[in-house]
Amino acid sequence: MNRIIIILIAAFLLAPSVACDRTRTWQKEETIMGTVVRITVVGKDAGPAADALEAAFEEIRRLDRMMSLYKDESEITALNMAAGERPARVSAEMIEVMEHAASVSKMTQGAFDATAGPLIVLWQLHTRDGTVPSEREIERIRAITGWRDVEINKKRSTIFLRKKGMIVDLGGIAKGYAADRAAAVLRSRGIENGIVAVAGDIRVMGRRPDGSPWRIAVQHPREHEKTLTVLELTDTFISTSGDYERFTIVDKKRYHHIIDPRTGRPSKGVISATIIGDRGVVVDPLTTAVFILGPEQGMALVRKLGYDAIMVDEEGRLMSTAAVPMKE
Ligand code: ADP
Ligand code: MG
């Protein structure tokens, strides 16, 4: 169902017996957050590696239980259910993630907008049935989006969504945050080298067993067997948003899952955006925003923040910051 948009070239595939001290990679894969999570760690012994992997996966499962819109008992569901009625009591962690979401929203003039939930749901319901919402429906639903109706009270640890029907959707930030957290769990267990890949949100830690950088391939947005480029990375975060992973065709038109809050419709202009930065909790939502903002504004923002980016527009044109080596 969900294609993995980034292919990890794991060290053991390329160099099965490099290290004489038996240092090697250990890997596990599981479906969480509706997508494939793959974690690779570098270590000597099977036992500790398996324990560290399990702890990292449990951290991602925990965050899924907390942030999933599809779970009745999740914290985000409780918050959304209280919309228009009362402030919801939330964890300090939820406040932190919401503050990051608000800050990226500000930084991107609202292109990334976690309060766009009602619009996202509207499009999901329609495209599932092979229809698209009318202009009137979009305008009506748009009235219950926006940060001006969100009250975050850090002291009381509450969040109030003022209007009934408001929905906070953390789908554009949860994977990046989860990858950050899983990496922190690995580090707390002494793992310095590895990769946490929550679909296209990838935390790169240290190096491969032979000391060389990790190699991360960025997938071609239209030809799935092809790669745009292979990047050599250490200690960084790389995130990709594409229109090719989750989309529906209605009347021969492609409708993907990233909604431009300014138009209330799936964004146009970019078909793939990759950003290489530092923290998932910022880079993941920023990638979604840059996808929406388009090549010019998007690239300018990335440069201003000192990150690197690779983008493909709808004509198939490739753009990247000078620091990213591109093959074409
Ligand atoms: P993917 O889920 O394919 O990795 P993204 O990281 O870009 O892609 O996140 C897309 C998800 O973010 C959507 O499934 C939806 O839940 C949410 N989303 C869509 N549009 C926006 C937006 N403008 N602002 C914030 N979140 C969005
Ligand atoms: Mg993203």
Side-chain angles (χ1 to χ4, degrees):
M1 190 193 69
N2 257 313
R3 264 174 184 276
I4 311 181
I5 44 179
I6 304 274
I7 304 147
L8 301 181
I9 300 177
F12 63 86
L13 292 177
L14 304 172
S17 57
V18 262
C20 40
D21 59 355
R22 292 171 32 246
T23 297
R24 51 161 283 193
T25 58
W26 309 82
Q27 198 176 70
K28 199 184 158 204
E29 206 175 278
E30 192 176 312
T31 299
I32 318 174
M33 296 187 160
T35 194
V36 177
V37 179
R38 185 188 288 172
I39 306 182
T40 307
V41 297
V42 175
K44 276 188 191 170
D45 303 306
D51 289 350
L53 283 170
E54 175 49 28
F57 274 104
E58 182 46 34
E59 180 67 354
I60 298 176
R61 287 183 217 117
R62 178 183 74 80
L63 293 168
D64 183 38
R65 289 194 295 271
M66 175 180 161
M67 299 192 205
S68 172
L69 287 182
Y70 307 102
K71 291 186 167 61
D72 290 346
E73 69 285 5
S74 73
E75 214 181 315
I76 196 76
T77 298
L79 168 64
N80 289 331
M81 296 291 284
E85 288 183 2
R86 61 183 180 282
R89 223 187 150 71
V90 294
S91 61
E93 194 172 22
M94 177 63 81
I95 300 259
E96 187 196 327
V97 173
M98 283 290 279
E99 281 179 341
H100 277 292
S103 121
V104 174
S105 184
K106 212 169 176 187
M107 197 193 288
T108 61
Q109 281 100 47
F112 178 81
D113 184 356
T115 73
L119 280 172
I120 295 159
V121 171
L122 176 72
W123 278 92
Q124 273 169 356
L125 294 177
H126 268 279
T127 49
R128 197 178 60 192
D129 295 342
T131 58
V132 289
S134 68
E135 192 59 51
R136 266 185 63 190
E137 261 178 297
I138 291 173
E139 283 318 310
R140 197 169 51 84
I141 292 296
R142 221 206 317 220
I144 51 167
T145 66
W147 283 94
R148 65 189 176 279
D149 291 312
V150 181
E151 267 173 47
I152 300 180
N153 190 321
K154 210 168 174 169
K155 254 201 198 134
R156 290 201 178 138
S157 209
T158 60
I159 300 176
F160 184 31
L161 309 178
R162 280 202 207 100
K163 289 185 181 158
K164 209 158 184 60
M166 283 180 79
I167 299 170
V168 170
D169 178 351
L170 297 175
I173 192 169
K175 293 197 292 303
Y177 178 68
D180 285 346
R181 284 294 319 148
V185 166
L186 291 178
R187 260 196 310 276
S188 76
R189 291 177 169 256
I191 305 276
E192 304 281 338
N193 304 289
I195 288 185
V196 179
V198 185
D201 286 293
I202 303 177
R203 180 85 193 205
V204 180
M205 302 167 67
R207 291 168 176 271
R208 305 199 303 184
D210 66 0
S212 63
W214 293 99
R215 306 185 70 213
I216 307 286
V218 181
Q219 191 180 304
H220 191 288
R222 289 292 177 265
E223 295 162 62
H224 292 300
E225 301 72 37
K226 276 203 192 163
T227 59
L228 283 179
T229 184
V230 178
L231 302 168
E232 301 213 318
L233 302 170
T234 58
D235 292 307
T236 193
F237 197 97
I238 173 167
S239 173
T240 298
S241 282
D243 73 346
Y244 50 92
E245 206 191 355
R246 282 190 270 147
F247 64 90
T248 321
I249 307 275
V250 180
D251 291 335
K252 296 189 182 149
K253 271 172 127 174
R254 178 192 286 253
Y255 294 94
H256 60 79
H257 67 306
I258 296 174
I259 304 297
D260 184 341
R262 300 168 300 184
T263 61
R265 298 166 180 279
S267 67
K268 288 204 172 99
V270 177
I271 64 172
S272 173
T274 297
I275 298 183
I276 303 145
D278 42 14
R279 307 171 66 189
V281 74
V282 176
V283 175
D284 178 13
L286 191 65
T287 308
T288 305
V290 160
F291 187 96
I292 293 168
L293 288 172
E296 264 174 48
Q297 252 187 298
M299 276 294 180
L301 178 60
V302 165
R303 287 210 172 87
K304 197 175 102 189
L305 294 169
Y307 294 155
D308 281 309
I310 303 166
M311 290 173 90
V312 182
D313 73 9
E314 56 192 356
E315 265 90 54
R317 279 187 299 247
L318 200 73
M319 284 142 288
S320 67
T321 51
V324 180
M326 295 302 305
K327 63 160 199 197
E328 270 192 89

